Amino acid sequence: MISIESGNSIGMTLSPSSSTIESMCSSTSSISEKKIDGQQSSHFHRPRRRKRTISKGNHYFGHLMNIISDLMLMIQKECKTYSQNVNTEALQIIAAGVAGMLLLPSCYTTGLIMTSPTIASVWDGPMIPLGCFSVAVLLKLEKRSRDYPLSQVGSLLLTVGGSLIVLMADFIHGNDHKTVTEKEAGMSHMQFVQGNIVLSGVVASYSATSLLQKQLTHYPPITLTGYMFAIGFIGCFISLSLDSILLGGSLTGCTLGQAFYQLHLALTTSPTFQYGLLYSAYFVGGACFSIGSYASSHLESSVITLFAACQPPMTAVLEWIWEGKGFGWKKVLGMCCVCCGMCGFTYIKRLESHHKHDKVRV
């Protein structure tokens, strides 16, 4: 009550309190300044850390890696823009023509010269469906059967094995085995290995042609075959020209001028060559690839190439018709294996196609 009534006493008591507050602030500021000065002085007395020096080699290596990464990005962008402008169908047609009309006959003829007709027939017939199915599955162009995987592979192997039995029946039987072994006795081991490597190109080129024809089913079969023939002719002409100019005919065995002269001489003097050329052009080349192109629009490539295993049984039937040569139990067994294997493989493919259509409808 006394402090409230006497206002002078309150003013007198407040004035000393303000001075004490100012003195306290000044003392705390001086203390903080001393602490800062002490920290700075202690900081300056600490030993300095050495900066990490980057060597010139590491610097140049990092700079080089940056340049390489920039170049890779530029190449990737250019490839993307180039792929958008390129006609992929034209490239597929060119690849089909090179594989079917240039590499396929070249590999077969060269391998036939380096090995024997029996070995060439093994690569040209039974091995083609096996190779095509393997390549189609690896490239994910076709899928193995989910419900019957072992039956599918087993039927394929049964077809290939039966075709080999029919093909090798005469080779194993009696006098034919003796003549073939005498012929192959003079063949060097290296030439035999090289011939088989070349003949493996028959399987690769035939499989590539069949798979590419499957991608080009919207073209008419005869039109696509005509394009392939033209590309194969241009490829043969270019290969002969390069061999005659650069290698002097050492690769093909003759120069371009000699090849045209031999062709003209054979056409004018040999009727057998004329008939053989017509048969090869119309039936072996034109009809075969046209039928393959037409079948590609309805069947898968592995089913189409499966019929290549029928070549030895069909040859045995033609020998029986024209030459009167008997079959024998080995050929009959092989034919039965081929028929059973083809029926099983195509039946499994048909079931898979029905399952796909049912899923699409659902």
Side-chain angles (χ1 to χ4, degrees):
M1 294 297 291
I2 298 169
S3 61
I4 294 172
E5 290 176 357
S6 57
N8 295 329
S9 61
I10 294 172
M12 291 176 67
T13 54
L14 288 174
S15 59
S17 63
S18 61
S19 61
T20 53
I21 290 171
E22 290 177 357
S23 62
M24 289 173 64
C25 291
S26 61
S27 61
T28 52
S29 61
S30 62
I31 292 169
S32 62
E33 288 177 357
K34 287 180 181 180
K35 286 183 179 180
I36 293 170
D37 294 333
Q39 288 178 358
Q40 290 179 354
S41 61
S42 63
H43 176 72
F44 287 116
H45 285 294
R46 288 179 184 175
R48 294 182 180 178
R49 295 180 181 178
R50 294 182 179 179
K51 296 182 179 179
R52 294 181 181 178
T53 57
I54 301 173
S55 62
K56 293 183 178 180
N58 294 331
H59 177 70
Y60 291 147
F61 179 75
H63 188 60
L64 180 62
M65 292 300 295
N66 292 329
I67 293 174
I68 293 173
S69 63
D70 293 338
L71 287 175
M72 293 297 291
L73 290 174
M74 290 175 62
I75 292 171
Q76 186 178 3
K77 291 180 180 178
E78 291 294 330
C79 290
K80 285 182 179 180
T81 55
Y82 183 74
S83 62
Q84 292 176 356
N85 297 327
V86 170
N87 188 1
T88 56
E89 290 186 357
L91 294 178
Q92 289 176 354
I93 293 173
I94 293 172
V98 171
M101 301 299 178
L102 179 61
L103 295 180
L104 179 60
S106 300
C107 291
Y108 179 78
T109 307
T110 306
L112 180 63
I113 294 171
M114 298 177 69
T115 56
S116 66
T118 305
I119 298 172
S121 301
V122 170
W123 286 100
D124 187 44
M127 298 303 293
I128 287 176
L130 186 62
C132 183
F133 179 74
S134 301
V135 172
V137 172
L138 288 175
L139 296 178
K140 297 181 179 180
L141 297 175
E142 295 183 13
K143 295 181 180 179
R144 288 180 56 190
S145 176
R146 295 181 180 179
D147 299 329
Y148 314 100
L150 295 178
S151 300
Q152 186 182 33
V153 177
S155 60
L156 179 62
L157 294 177
L158 183 64
T159 306
V160 174
S163 181
L164 288 173
I165 290 172
V166 176
L167 183 63
M168 305 296 288
D170 292 333
F171 176 75
I172 298 170
H173 182 70
N175 295 327
D176 292 333
H177 176 67
K178 185 177 179 180
T179 53
V180 173
T181 51
E182 287 178 355
K183 182 180 179 180
E184 293 180 352
M187 187 189 307
S188 63
H189 179 69
M190 184 59 66
Q191 182 181 352
F192 180 78
V193 173
Q194 290 175 352
N196 280 274
I197 293 173
V198 173
L199 285 171
S200 64
V202 174
V203 180
S205 56
Y206 199 101
S207 302
T209 305
S210 180
L211 293 173
L212 287 169
Q213 284 178 332
K214 183 65 177 177
Q215 307 297 323
L216 300 168
T217 53
H218 53 279
Y219 283 91
I222 298 177
T223 304
L224 181 60
T225 305
Y227 289 156
M228 292 169 62
F229 262 108
I231 293 165
F233 175 78
I234 294 171
C236 290
F237 181 79
I238 292 173
S239 61
L240 278 172
S241 301
L242 293 176
D243 182 49
S244 60
I245 293 171
L246 300 177
L247 302 177
S250 60
L251 183 62
T252 56
C254 63
T255 60
L256 185 62
Q258 293 174 353
F260 278 112
Y261 175 74
Q262 293 176 5
L263 181 63
H264 177 265
L265 185 64
L267 286 173
T268 54
T269 58
S270 176
T272 306
F273 181 80
Q274 296 174 1
Y275 296 143
L277 183 62
L278 290 174
Y279 174 76
S280 299
Y282 284 102
F283 293 99
V284 178
C288 178
F289 285 99
S290 298
I291 292 171
S293 299
Y294 175 77
S296 297
S297 59
H298 301 281
L299 299 172
E300 293 185 353
S301 300
S302 59
V303 178
I304 296 171
T305 54
L306 190 68
F307 286 86
C310 294
Q311 292 182 11
M314 290 298 297
T315 304
V317 172
L318 292 176
E319 286 178 349
W320 174 68
I321 294 173
W322 288 342
E323 299 179 3
K325 191 174 182 180
F327 291 113
W329 68 271
K330 295 177 183 177
K331 289 186 178 180
V332 173
L333 177 63
M335 290 179 183
C336 292
C337 292
V338 170
C339 292
C340 294
M342 290 184 65
C343 290
F345 191 85
T346 53
Y347 178 73
I348 292 171
K349 284 289 186 180
R350 193 181 302 114
L351 288 178
E352 292 291 327
S353 63
H354 286 318
H355 287 314
K356 288 182 181 178
H357 289 303
D358 293 338
K359 289 181 180 178
V360 171
R361 289 176 182 177
V362 172

